[in-house]
C-alpha cells in the first residue's frame, strides 16, 4: 500500500504507506513547510497546527507578512538562506549581480506511479510502477526564472522515502549553484543521538554515537571519494532506542564523491538535517536552459530499533538499488591471489593456486593487481590495461581459458581511474590527469588521478577494458581506486566551471560503470578503494558487492562488518579468509573463526591454499560446503545484530530466512578468560510458536524460548563445543544453525 494525497484547501501533501507518513504544506508565502516525518498517521485535510510559529524578539519576517511569520522558526522542506532564516540552507545560488537571495515559490505538483531514473546518477528504482509513487513539487524564483523541482518517492512495503532536487535555468542569465543538498528535513525536537560510521584505511566504518547538542554536528568527505574516514550514512536515534526497540531515522546518500551530512540544532531545539554534495569545492554554473540534478538521498524511519532501520536499508538496497543479473543470485565463492602472492606471481603459480581452489570447491578465481603493462610493483603500469606477456604468455584470454578449463570462473582486477607516471598511457597523454596549472600534481601510491570529467578519457579507458572483456572469459571485475583526489582541476573546462570537476569526475566513473554494465551484463562487479574507501550506496547501483576493508583479520573484521551492516546488505560485504599471522595486524586467529566471520558476507579466500596443512584443507572444504549450503540465507536473510563488538569482548549476530525456518547465529569472543561467567544469546526474528533444533542437536526449543530465555552459549566457548578440538582459546567463535522442526 502506498499513496500520496494533496489536500487542496490546506495545500498539504501527505505521503504514506503502511509504515510511515511524511507531511508538508505550502506556506502562506508560497514556500514549503515541513509538518511531520515518522510513524504512519491517519490522513486528514488539516495538519497546519504542526507548523508552530510565534512573534519573537529579534525575529525578522518577510515584507508584507505577519511578524510571527519568521522563517527562522518555521520548519521547512528545502530552505533558502540569506533571508529571515539564519540556519544553514538547503542550497545557495549566486546571481551574476552577486546576490544570493532566492525565493522559490510553489507553482504546482505532479504525482506519478513508479519512480523516474536519475540521469547519469545511481538511484533506487521500481520494477513495477505500482511499487512506489513519486511526488514532484515545482517551485519558481520569479527574479531569475529558475525552476526547482523537489522529488519524493515513497515505496510500498518499505519505511523509506527517496529524495532529490533539480534546478532548471529557465531565465535569461547564467547563475552559479554554490550548494545544492539532496535532502533537507526539519525535525521538531533535538532529543536524538547522532550515529555515524567513521575510521581510516583498514579500520573502516566503526560506530560512533554522540548526543545532539545545539549547533552543528556533521560528517563529510573532501577526498573525492566517499572515503574510509566518514561514510555517507547517518542515523538519529532516540536516546532510549536500542537494536530492537525505539525510534530511529536513517539517512543514506547514494553518492560516491565528496559529501556532507549535517544536523543543525537551533535555538528553539529544532533539528535541521541536510544531506548532499559537500559545498566545499563545489560550484556549478547553470547556463540558461541547463539543469542540475542532485544525487539521491534515502531516508528510513524505524520504530523497531536499529535492527529495524538496517533491515529496511538492506531490503531496499539489495532489491531496488543493486541491479542486474547478480542482484538476487548467491555470490560465487572466490579466491583472490592478492595476499597469496602480491606482485610475485607467474602463470604457473596462479594456475597451481587456482587448481587447489577448485579442489576445495571454490568457484571463482580472481587475479588481482600486477598482470598488466610494466606493473611488477606499485610504481609503474597503471593505465596500460594490456597483459604482461612475460608473466602471462597467452595473455588474459589464454589464462582465463585455462581457468575455465579447471572449472572455475575467472575474475580480473582493474584500477580504471588511475595512471602511473611510468606508463605508456601517461606518456601518450600527460595532460589527461587532474592537475592545476603551474603547480605540480601530488602523488598517492606513486600514481596520478585521470581526469574522468573528460568523456574522451573515460572513452579511452573503456576501449581498453572492452577489448579485454570481449576477448577473454571474464565473469567478475574488481574495480579498485587507491588514492584520494588532489588538485582537482581539469584542463578541459573554463575557469568558471572548475568547481564542477569533483562532481563531473564521479559522473565519469558512473558513466564508465554504466557502459561496461550495458556491454557485459553477465559480469559481477566488486568495488574497492584501498579496501572500503568507497563503500557507499551510490556504488551499489553499479557494483553489487564491495571489498569491505584491506584489513582481513577476523577480530578487526567484527567491528568493520558490524558497522557496515548498519546500512549495507550482507550480500554487499566482501569478506575473505586470509592467512595467519594476519598481514595487517600480525594476529593469529583460528581458521574456523576467520571463516565464521567471513561467512557473513560474500565469502572467499585471500591466501595460498598450498601453504595450509592437510587438516586445514579439509576444514576449508567444510567451510566452502557450508557456504554453498547456506549462502542464500547468509547473504539475503534478515540480519540481526545481537551483541556489539564496540561494547565488549563478545560479538554476536544472526540471519533468519524469510519463512523463519532456518537461522544461523554467529557468536564470537575476542579474548579467552578463566572461569568464565555463564552466557546466553537472546535470539531474534524466529517463529515463537515453532520448534527448532540447534546445530543438529536432539533437543527441541520453541522460538519463544530462544528469543526470551535465550540460547545458552556458555559451553560452546568454554571448551566442549568450539569449532576446533582442544582447549578454549582467544579469538574463538561458534556458528549455530537453527532448523525448524516440521
Ligand atoms: C587495494 C585493494 O584493497 C587490495 O585488495 C588490492 O587489490 C590492492 N589494492 C592491489 O593493489
Amino acid at each position: 500500500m502506498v499513496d500520496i494525497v494533496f489536500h487542496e484547501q490546506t495545500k498539504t501533501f501527505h505521503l504514506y504507506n503502511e509504515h510511515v507518513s511524511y507531511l508538508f504544506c505550502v506556506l502562506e508565502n508560497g514556500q514549503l513547510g515541513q509538518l511531520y516525518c515518522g510513524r504512519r498517521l491517519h490522513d486528514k485535510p488539516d495538519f497546519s497546527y504542526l507548523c508552530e510559529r510565534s512573534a519573537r524578539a529579534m525575529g525578522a519576517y518577510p515584507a508584507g507578512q505577519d511578524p510571527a511569520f519568521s522563517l527562522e522558526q518555521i520548519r521547512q522542506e528545502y530552505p533558502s538562506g540569506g533571508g529571515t532564516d539564519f540556519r544553514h540552507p538547503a542550497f545557495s545560488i549566486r546571481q551574476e549581480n552577486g546576490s544570493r537571495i532566492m525565493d522559490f515559490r510553489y507553482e504546482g505538483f505532479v504525482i506519478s506511479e513508479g519512480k523516474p531514473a536519475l540521469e547519469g546518477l545511481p538511484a533506487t528504482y521500481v520494477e513495477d510502477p505500482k511499487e512506489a509513487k513519486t511526488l514532484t513539487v515545482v517551485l519558481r524564483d520569479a527574479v531569475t526564472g529558475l525552476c526547482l523541482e523537489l522529488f519524493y518517492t515513497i515505496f510500498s512495503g518499505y519505511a523509506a522515502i527517496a529524495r532529490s532536487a533539480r534546478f532548471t535555468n529557465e531565465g535569461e542569465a547564467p547563475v552559479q549553484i554554490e550548494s545544492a543538498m539532496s535532502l533537507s528535513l526539519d525535525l521538531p525536537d533535538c532529543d536524538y543521538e547522532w550515529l555515524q560510521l567513521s575510521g581510516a584505511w583498514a579500520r573502516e566504518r566503526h560506530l560512533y554515537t554522540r548526543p545532539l547538542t545545539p549547533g552543528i554536528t556533521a560528517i563529510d568527505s573532501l577526498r573525492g571519494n566517499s572515503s574510509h574516514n566518514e561514510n555517507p550514512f547517518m542515523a538519529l536515534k532516540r536516546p532510549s532506542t536500542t537494536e530492537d526497540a525505539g525510534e530511529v531515522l536513517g539517512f543514506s546518500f547514494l553518492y560516491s564523491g565528496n559529501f556532507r551530512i549535517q544536523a543543525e540544532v537551533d535555538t528553539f531545539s529544532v533539528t535541521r538535517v541536510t544531506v548532499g554534495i559537500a559545498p566545499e569545492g563545489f560550484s556549478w554554473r547553470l547556463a540558461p536552459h541547463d539543469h542540475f540534478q542532485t544525487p539521491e538521498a534515502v531516508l528510513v524511519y524505524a520504530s523497531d530499533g536499529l535492527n529495524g532501520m538496517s533491515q529496511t536499508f538492506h531490503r531496499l538496497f539489495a532489491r531496488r538499488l543493486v541491479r542486474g543479473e547478480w542482484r538476487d543470485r548467491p555470490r560465487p565463492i572466490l579466491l583472490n591471489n592478492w595476499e597469496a602472492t602480491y606482485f610475485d606471481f607467474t602463470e604457473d603459480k596462479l594456475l597451481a593456486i587456482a587448481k587447489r581452489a577448485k579442489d576445495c570447491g571454490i568457484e571463482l578465481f580472481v587475479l588481482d593487481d600486477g598482470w598488466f603493462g610494466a606493473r611488477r610493483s606499485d610504481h609503474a603500469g597503471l593505465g596500460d590495461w594490456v597483459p604482461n606477456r612475460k608473466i602471462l604468455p597467452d595473455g588474459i584470454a589464454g589464462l582465463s581459458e585455462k581457468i575455465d578449463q579447471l572449472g572455475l570462473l575467472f575474475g580480473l582486477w582493474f584500477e580504471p581511474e588511475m595512471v602511473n607516471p611510468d606508463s605508456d598511457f601517461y606518456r601518450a597523454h600527460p595532460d589527461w590527469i587532474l592537475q592545476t596549472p603551474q603547480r605540480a600534481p601530488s602523488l598517492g601510491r606513486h600514481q596520478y588521478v585521470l581526469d574522468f570529467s573528460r568523456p574522451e578519457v573515460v572513452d579511452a579507458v573503456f576501449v581498453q577494458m572492452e577489448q579485454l572483456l570481449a576477448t577473454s572469459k571474464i565473469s567478475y571485475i574488481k574495480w579498485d581506486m587507491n588514492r584520494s583526489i588532489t588538485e582537482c582541476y581539469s584542463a578541459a573546462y573554463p575557469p568558471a566551471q572548475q568547481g564542477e570537476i569533483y562532481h563531473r569526475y564521479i559522473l565519469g566513473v558512473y558513466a564508465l560503470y554504466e557502459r561496461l554494465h550495458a556491454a557485459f551484463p553477465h559480469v559481477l562487479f566488486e568495488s574497492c578503494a584501498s579496501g572500503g574507501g568507497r563503500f557507499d550506496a551510490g556504488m551499489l547501483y553499479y557494483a553489487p558487492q564491495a571489498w569491505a576493508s584491506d584489513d582481513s583479520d577476523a577480530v578487526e573484521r567484527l567491528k568493520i562488518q558490524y558497522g557496515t551492516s548498519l546500512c549495507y546488505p550482507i550480500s554487499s560485504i566482501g569478506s575473505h579468509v586470509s592467512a595467519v599471522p594476519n598481514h595487517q595486524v600480525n594476529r593469529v586467529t583460528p581458521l574456523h573463526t576467520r571463516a565464521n566471520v567471513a561467512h557473513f558476507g560474500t565469502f572467499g579466500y585471500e591466501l595460498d591454499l598450498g601453504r595450509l596443512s592437510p587438516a586445514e584443507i579439509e576444514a576449508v572444504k567444510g567451510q566452502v560446503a557450508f557456504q554453498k549450503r547456506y549462502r542464500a540465507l547468509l547473504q539475503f536473510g534478515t540480519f540481526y545484530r545481537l551483541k556489539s563488538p564496540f561494547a565488549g569482548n563478545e560479538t554476536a549476530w544472526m540471519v533468519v530466512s524469510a519463512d523463519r525456518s532456518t537461522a544461523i547465529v554467529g557468536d564470537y569472543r575476542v579474548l579467552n578468560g578463566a572461569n568464565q561467567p555463564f552466557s546466553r544469546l537472546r535470539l531474534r526474528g524466529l517463529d515463537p510458536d515453532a520448534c527448532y533444533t540447534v546445530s543438529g542437536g536432539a533437543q527441541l526449543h520453541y522460538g519463544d524460548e530462544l528469543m526470551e530465555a535465550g540460547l545458552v552459549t556458555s559451553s560452546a566457548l568454554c571448551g566442549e563445543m568450539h569449532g576446533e578440538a582442544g582447549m578454549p582459546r582467544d579469538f574463538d567463535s561458534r556458528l549455530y544453525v537453527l532448523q525448524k522442526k516440521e
Side-chain angles (χ1 to χ4, degrees), residues 338 343 368-369 375 413 445 478 480 482 528-531 547 550 606:
W338 179 241
F343 291 109
D368 210 279
D369 195 354
R375 186 95 166 158
W413 180 96
R445 207 194 187 199
K478 178 176 172 185
D480 207 344
N482 283 303
C528 174
S530 289
W547 181 223
D550 274 346
E606 185 115 0

Side-chain angles (χ1 to χ4, degrees), residues 632-705:
L633 166 60
L634 288 160
Q635 292 168 357
F636 299 104
T638 307
F639 182 79
Y640 291 84
R641 290 174 298 272
L642 303 177
K643 273 192 185 175
S644 169
F646 299 100
N649 196 35
E650 287 167 9
T651 301
W653 51 46
M654 67 183 289
V655 282
V656 186
S657 63
D659 64 0
R660 298 189 291 177
S661 67
T662 315
I664 300 178
V665 180
D667 186 23
Y668 312 87
R669 187 180 60 207
V670 178
L671 292 182
N672 192 18
N675 213 4
Q676 293 281 288
F678 295 116
S679 66
R680 290 185 190 188
L681 282 176
R682 292 181 69 187
L683 304 187
R684 294 283 170 257
L686 302 174
D687 177 350
D689 303 320
C691 276
Y692 294 87
T693 56
V694 178
S695 294
Q699 267 197 55
L700 289 179
H701 305 272
Y702 278 103
D704 62 1
E705 263 174 84

Side-chain angles (χ1 to χ4, degrees), residues 276-552:
I277 294 177
E280 175 65 34
F282 172 85
S283 127
W284 195 275
R285 185 177 165 79
L286 197 66
H289 314 298
D290 277 0
H291 61 265
F292 179 78
Q293 168 70 54
T294 73
E296 179 165 303
V298 170
L299 155 71
V300 163
Y301 170 79
S303 55
D304 51 353
L306 292 168
N307 272 322
M309 173 200 71
S310 300
Q311 287 162 9
T312 300
F313 275 123
H314 291 183
R315 279 194 305 126
L316 183 67
F317 287 175
R319 296 177 191 169
R320 293 295 178 263
L321 176 60
V322 171
R323 298 173 296 166
E325 294 180 14
W326 283 100
R327 184 186 70 184
D328 303 325
R329 283 167 67 186
R331 305 297 158 68
I333 300 169
L334 67 82
L335 184 137
N336 179 305
N337 77 308
W338 179 241
E339 288 197 17
T341 66
Y342 296 103
F343 291 109
D344 181 20
F345 60 83
T346 59
E347 189 181 72
D348 285 348
K349 198 166 171 181
L350 295 177
L351 288 171
I353 292 172
K355 166 93 179 50
R356 285 193 197 95
K358 175 67 188 170
D359 292 345
C360 289
I362 290 168
E363 299 156 314
L364 162 66
F365 174 78
V366 179
L367 173 54
D368 210 279
D369 195 354
W371 56 267
F372 49 90
R375 186 95 166 158
R376 298 313 289 149
S377 75
D378 60 10
H379 284 73
L382 287 177
D384 300 336
W385 303 109
V386 180
N388 178 340
R389 295 271 169 179
K390 285 195 198 115
I391 41 172
L392 302 175
D394 302 316
I396 289 297
L399 176 64
S400 68
E401 183 60 44
K402 290 169 202 171
I403 297 289
D404 181 68
Q405 277 164 19
L406 286 176
L408 289 162
L409 298 172
F410 177 71
L412 194 59
W413 180 96
F414 286 92
E415 193 174 358
E417 300 150 69
M418 301 291 160
V419 73
N420 284 116
D422 183 3
S423 68
D424 293 341
F425 194 88
Y426 179 73
R427 282 183 281 274
H429 303 287
D431 54 328
W432 276 8
I433 62 166
L434 292 174
Q435 58 184 329
T436 305
Q438 299 167 301
R439 297 180 197 277
S442 304
L443 285 156
R445 207 194 187 199
H446 321 289
Q447 62 201 49
Y448 293 139
V449 184
L450 284 172
D451 181 356
F452 262 45
S453 73
R454 297 170 73 161
E456 68 273 29
V457 177
V458 174
D459 200 51
V461 177
F462 174 76
V463 167
Q464 290 196 65
M465 293 179 78
E466 183 194 34
Q467 162 69 16
L468 274 160
L469 283 155
T471 53
S472 312
K473 291 187 165 150
I474 299 174
S475 304
Y476 162 108
I477 288 180
K478 178 176 172 185
W479 177 322
D480 207 344
M481 193 264 186
N482 283 303
R483 60 158 291 184
S484 307
I485 294 179
T486 56
E487 295 88 29
C488 189
Y489 186 103
S490 171
Y493 291 84
Q497 285 188 269
Q498 291 302 324
E500 301 173 12
I501 306 307
Y502 276 117
H503 183 55
R504 287 189 183 276
Y505 176 92
I506 288 294
L507 294 179
V509 171
Y510 291 154
L512 180 56
Y513 259 117
E514 194 64 51
R515 282 177 78 178
L516 291 167
H517 204 274
F520 305 99
H522 68 283
V523 171
L524 171 62
F525 284 90
E526 177 151 348
S527 74
C528 174
S530 289
R534 213 160 52 182
F535 204 125
D536 57 67
M539 273 292 132
L540 288 186
Y541 186 66
Y542 305 96
Q545 53 195 61
W547 181 223
S549 177
D550 274 346
D551 192 339
S552 56

